[in-house]
Tab-separated table of all heavy atoms in Angstrom:
chain	number	residue	atom	x	y	z
T	22	LEU	N	-3.857	-30.577	-23.938
T	22	LEU	CA	-5.219	-30.847	-23.484
T	22	LEU	C	-6.107	-31.307	-24.636
T	22	LEU	O	-6.865	-32.265	-24.502
T	22	LEU	CB	-5.823	-29.584	-22.845
T	22	LEU	CG	-5.344	-29.258	-21.436
T	22	LEU	CD1	-5.851	-27.897	-21.010
T	22	LEU	CD2	-5.813	-30.328	-20.469
T	23	ALA	N	-6.024	-30.604	-25.772
T	23	ALA	CA	-6.879	-30.961	-26.900
T	23	ALA	C	-6.489	-32.314	-27.480
T	23	ALA	O	-7.296	-32.957	-28.149
T	23	ALA	CB	-6.815	-29.886	-27.973
T	24	ASP	N	-5.269	-32.743	-27.212
T	24	ASP	CA	-4.825	-34.040	-27.731
T	24	ASP	C	-5.054	-35.173	-26.742
T	24	ASP	O	-4.815	-36.335	-27.065
T	24	ASP	CB	-3.337	-33.983	-28.089
T	24	ASP	CG	-3.123	-33.357	-29.444
T	24	ASP	OD1	-4.120	-33.135	-30.149
T	24	ASP	OD2	-1.960	-33.099	-29.810
T	25	ASP	N	-5.491	-34.832	-25.557
T	25	ASP	CA	-5.740	-35.873	-24.558
T	25	ASP	C	-6.832	-36.823	-25.047
T	25	ASP	O	-7.818	-36.399	-25.663
T	25	ASP	CB	-6.148	-35.239	-23.230
T	25	ASP	CG	-6.420	-36.266	-22.159
T	25	ASP	OD1	-5.446	-36.839	-21.629
T	25	ASP	OD2	-7.603	-36.527	-21.864
T	26	ALA	N	-6.646	-38.093	-24.734
T	26	ALA	CA	-7.569	-39.121	-25.236
T	26	ALA	C	-8.979	-38.934	-24.702
T	26	ALA	O	-9.946	-39.402	-25.305
T	26	ALA	CB	-7.057	-40.518	-24.865
T	27	VAL	N	-9.107	-38.240	-23.593
T	27	VAL	CA	-10.436	-37.970	-23.046
T	27	VAL	C	-10.862	-36.540	-23.360
T	27	VAL	O	-11.894	-36.299	-23.982
T	27	VAL	CB	-10.462	-38.200	-21.514
T	27	VAL	CG1	-11.767	-37.693	-20.912
T	27	VAL	CG2	-10.266	-39.680	-21.204
T	28	LEU	N	-10.072	-35.577	-22.915
T	28	LEU	CA	-10.461	-34.165	-23.013
T	28	LEU	C	-10.554	-33.681	-24.452
T	28	LEU	O	-11.274	-32.728	-24.741
T	28	LEU	CB	-9.476	-33.302	-22.229
T	28	LEU	CG	-9.333	-33.668	-20.748
T	28	LEU	CD1	-8.281	-32.810	-20.078
T	28	LEU	CD2	-10.671	-33.553	-20.042
T	29	GLY	N	-9.828	-34.333	-25.344
T	29	GLY	CA	-9.882	-33.937	-26.752
T	29	GLY	C	-10.715	-34.884	-27.595
T	29	GLY	O	-10.735	-34.768	-28.818
T	30	SER	N	-11.412	-35.791	-26.930
T	30	SER	CA	-12.165	-36.804	-27.683
T	30	SER	C	-13.469	-36.240	-28.243
T	30	SER	O	-14.019	-35.272	-27.723
T	30	SER	CB	-12.478	-37.995	-26.778
T	30	SER	OG	-13.416	-37.624	-25.787
T	31	THR	N	-13.931	-36.877	-29.280
T	31	THR	CA	-15.204	-36.484	-29.885
T	31	THR	C	-16.336	-36.606	-28.869
T	31	THR	O	-17.212	-35.741	-28.798
T	31	THR	CB	-15.508	-37.374	-31.093
T	31	THR	OG1	-14.379	-37.339	-31.979
T	31	THR	CG2	-16.731	-36.875	-31.848
T	32	GLY	N	-16.296	-37.660	-28.081
T	32	GLY	CA	-17.360	-37.867	-27.110
T	32	GLY	C	-17.427	-36.757	-26.075
T	32	GLY	O	-18.511	-36.275	-25.729
T	33	TYR	N	-16.287	-36.342	-25.587
T	33	TYR	CA	-16.265	-35.272	-24.584
T	33	TYR	C	-16.724	-33.958	-25.201
T	33	TYR	O	-17.489	-33.200	-24.585
T	33	TYR	CB	-14.866	-35.138	-23.985
T	33	TYR	CG	-14.756	-34.102	-22.903
T	33	TYR	CD1	-15.518	-34.188	-21.749
T	33	TYR	CD2	-13.882	-33.024	-23.030
T	33	TYR	CE1	-15.427	-33.230	-20.755
T	33	TYR	CE2	-13.770	-32.070	-22.038
T	33	TYR	CZ	-14.542	-32.177	-20.897
T	33	TYR	OH	-14.447	-31.225	-19.914
T	34	LEU	N	-16.276	-33.697	-26.413
T	34	LEU	CA	-16.714	-32.472	-27.099
T	34	LEU	C	-18.221	-32.497	-27.318
T	34	LEU	O	-18.910	-31.483	-27.178
T	34	LEU	CB	-15.984	-32.322	-28.428
T	34	LEU	CG	-14.507	-31.973	-28.340
T	34	LEU	CD1	-13.852	-32.057	-29.716
T	34	LEU	CD2	-14.301	-30.594	-27.741
T	35	LEU	N	-18.716	-33.678	-27.677
T	35	LEU	CA	-20.151	-33.848	-27.876
T	35	LEU	C	-20.897	-33.552	-26.583
T	35	LEU	O	-21.921	-32.842	-26.566
T	35	LEU	CB	-20.398	-35.297	-28.312
T	35	LEU	CG	-21.519	-35.646	-29.273
T	35	LEU	CD1	-21.575	-34.703	-30.444
T	35	LEU	CD2	-21.332	-37.087	-29.760
T	36	LEU	N	-20.379	-34.093	-25.506
T	36	LEU	CA	-20.984	-33.874	-24.190
T	36	LEU	C	-21.017	-32.394	-23.840
T	36	LEU	O	-22.063	-31.852	-23.455
T	36	LEU	CB	-20.157	-34.645	-23.151
T	36	LEU	CG	-20.610	-34.621	-21.700
T	36	LEU	CD1	-21.928	-35.360	-21.546
T	36	LEU	CD2	-19.545	-35.257	-20.821
T	37	LYS	N	-19.895	-31.731	-23.994
T	37	LYS	CA	-19.831	-30.314	-23.651
T	37	LYS	C	-20.687	-29.471	-24.598
T	37	LYS	O	-21.337	-28.514	-24.164
T	37	LYS	CB	-18.374	-29.836	-23.690
T	37	LYS	CG	-17.486	-30.468	-22.643
T	37	LYS	CD	-17.936	-30.137	-21.228
T	37	LYS	CE	-17.442	-28.792	-20.748
T	37	LYS	NZ	-17.716	-28.575	-19.299
T	38	ALA	N	-20.668	-29.820	-25.857
T	38	ALA	CA	-21.480	-29.071	-26.824
T	38	ALA	C	-22.954	-29.185	-26.454
T	38	ALA	O	-23.693	-28.195	-26.490
T	38	ALA	CB	-21.227	-29.591	-28.240
T	39	GLY	N	-23.369	-30.385	-26.103
T	39	GLY	CA	-24.754	-30.595	-25.715
T	39	GLY	C	-25.132	-29.777	-24.496
T	39	GLY	O	-26.195	-29.159	-24.445
T	40	ILE	N	-24.263	-29.771	-23.506
T	40	ILE	CA	-24.521	-28.995	-22.290
T	40	ILE	C	-24.616	-27.511	-22.624
T	40	ILE	O	-25.527	-26.814	-22.169
T	40	ILE	CB	-23.399	-29.248	-21.249
T	40	ILE	CG1	-23.483	-30.679	-20.726
T	40	ILE	CG2	-23.484	-28.247	-20.103
T	40	ILE	CD1	-22.321	-31.082	-19.844
T	41	HIS	N	-23.676	-27.042	-23.453
T	41	HIS	CA	-23.667	-25.618	-23.773
T	41	HIS	C	-24.898	-25.181	-24.542
T	41	HIS	O	-25.537	-24.187	-24.200
T	41	HIS	CB	-22.404	-25.288	-24.584
T	41	HIS	CG	-21.228	-24.966	-23.734
T	41	HIS	ND1	-20.101	-25.755	-23.696
T	41	HIS	CD2	-21.000	-23.953	-22.857
T	41	HIS	CE1	-19.232	-25.234	-22.839
T	41	HIS	NE2	-19.746	-24.148	-22.324
T	42	VAL	N	-25.210	-25.925	-25.581
T	42	VAL	CA	-26.363	-25.514	-26.384
T	42	VAL	C	-27.633	-25.625	-25.551
T	42	VAL	O	-28.538	-24.792	-25.663
T	42	VAL	CB	-26.441	-26.330	-27.697
T	42	VAL	CG1	-26.969	-27.721	-27.467
T	42	VAL	CG2	-27.288	-25.594	-28.721
T	43	GLY	N	-27.669	-26.631	-24.682
T	43	GLY	CA	-28.819	-26.766	-23.785
T	43	GLY	C	-28.950	-25.576	-22.856
T	43	GLY	O	-30.046	-25.035	-22.676
T	44	ASN	N	-27.842	-25.143	-22.285
T	44	ASN	CA	-27.878	-23.986	-21.389
T	44	ASN	C	-28.355	-22.737	-22.128
T	44	ASN	O	-29.117	-21.938	-21.565
T	44	ASN	CB	-26.487	-23.723	-20.804
T	44	ASN	CG	-26.109	-24.735	-19.742
T	44	ASN	OD1	-26.964	-25.416	-19.193
T	44	ASN	ND2	-24.824	-24.846	-19.456
T	45	GLU	N	-27.919	-22.590	-23.346
T	45	GLU	CA	-28.284	-21.376	-24.081
T	45	GLU	C	-29.750	-21.392	-24.493
T	45	GLU	O	-30.417	-20.351	-24.471
T	45	GLU	CB	-27.368	-21.209	-25.300
T	45	GLU	CG	-25.915	-21.034	-24.869
T	45	GLU	CD	-25.022	-20.521	-25.979
T	45	GLU	OE1	-25.544	-20.208	-27.080
T	45	GLU	OE2	-23.799	-20.444	-25.763
Side-chain angles (χ1 to χ4, degrees):
Chain T
L22 283 172
D24 279 351
D25 180 75
V27 170
L28 303 177
S30 69
T31 307
Y33 182 60
L34 289 172
L35 213 45
L36 182 67
K37 295 298 277 189
I40 291 172
H41 273 115
V42 77
N44 286 342
E45 297 195 5

